[in-house]
Amino acid sequence: MKPDKVTRTAYAVSKLLRGRIELYKGDFETCIRDAQPSDFVYMDPPYQGTSYGPDKRYAAQLERDTLIEALHRLDARNVPYVLSYDGRTGEKTYGEPLPNTVNAHLLEISAGRSSQATLNGSEALTVESLYVSHGLEIFDMRLPQKKTPARLFA
């Protein structure tokens, strides 16, 4: 996407959501601590294995056990969430799927041609894993019309 289109899209989304949601940023455990069933949590930490070794792409890696424990806490409180976490590009798999103890559906989404592979002079397709909590099956995704803003934890 061209930079001017990204800018226009970001401003349009900002205008749509202004006054209707609260955004939180920071350490994810701190951000989600007070999340309630009426909230929505979106998490997109670095994929497993992308913060170590010679092909390091992120400054820090979220420890898998820490993430799983946090998801269990969200599940116990019936807080709806979506997590983009693991995936694969070509023959390379990033991380293990989350255990069945996490109360979420796994959706595999084709993200198209890998930009990293393209930069390396090869062609590969990327498939991203999206975990959707079971709580979203009953979650009303309409934006609230009342004065109290909904809270979005990202």
Side-chain angles (χ1 to χ4, degrees):
M1 188 180 301
K2 294 183 178 180
D4 61 325
K5 186 172 184 178
V6 171
T7 300
R8 286 194 314 272
T9 301
Y11 279 111
V13 170
S14 173
K15 185 177 179 181
L16 173 69
L17 299 178
R18 188 175 302 130
R20 295 181 174 171
I21 67 166
E22 292 178 30
L23 295 174
Y24 294 80
K25 67 175 185 164
D27 176 74
F28 90 100
E29 289 186 283
T30 302
C31 288
I32 67 173
R33 183 178 329 151
D34 296 326
Q36 302 168 11
S38 60
D39 295 325
F40 173 71
V41 176
Y42 175 76
M43 296 171 282
D44 190 8
Y47 289 169
Q48 298 172 67
T50 59
S51 298
Y52 305 118
D55 194 20
K56 185 175 178 176
R57 298 183 201 154
Y58 298 94
Q61 177 73 49
L62 173 62
E63 294 301 323
R64 187 173 190 269
D65 290 341
T66 301
L67 175 63
I68 292 168
E69 290 169 12
L71 295 175
H72 287 155
R73 289 192 298 275
L74 290 174
D75 289 337
R77 297 190 331 255
N78 295 313
V79 175
Y81 60 85
V82 170
L83 168 68
S84 173
Y85 187 51
D86 50 41
R88 63 185 182 276
T89 298
E91 300 298 317
K92 173 108 172 131
T93 299
Y94 294 97
E96 297 177 29
L98 292 176
N100 292 335
T101 58
V102 173
N103 196 16
H105 297 288
L106 168 59
L107 303 175
E108 289 191 316
I109 299 173
S110 176
R113 188 173 174 177
S114 166
S115 56
Q116 188 66 39
T118 300
L119 290 171
N120 291 335
S122 62
E123 274 190 51
L125 294 179
T126 297
V127 176
E128 295 190 10
S129 295
L130 198 66
Y131 294 88
V132 179
S133 70
H134 290 205
L136 275 174
E137 295 173 345
I138 58 171
F139 189 69
D140 184 354
M141 294 299 288
R142 291 176 291 170
L143 290 174
Q145 300 301 312
K146 57 187 176 185
K147 297 272 186 201
T148 306
R151 301 185 315 166
L152 175 66
F153 299 82

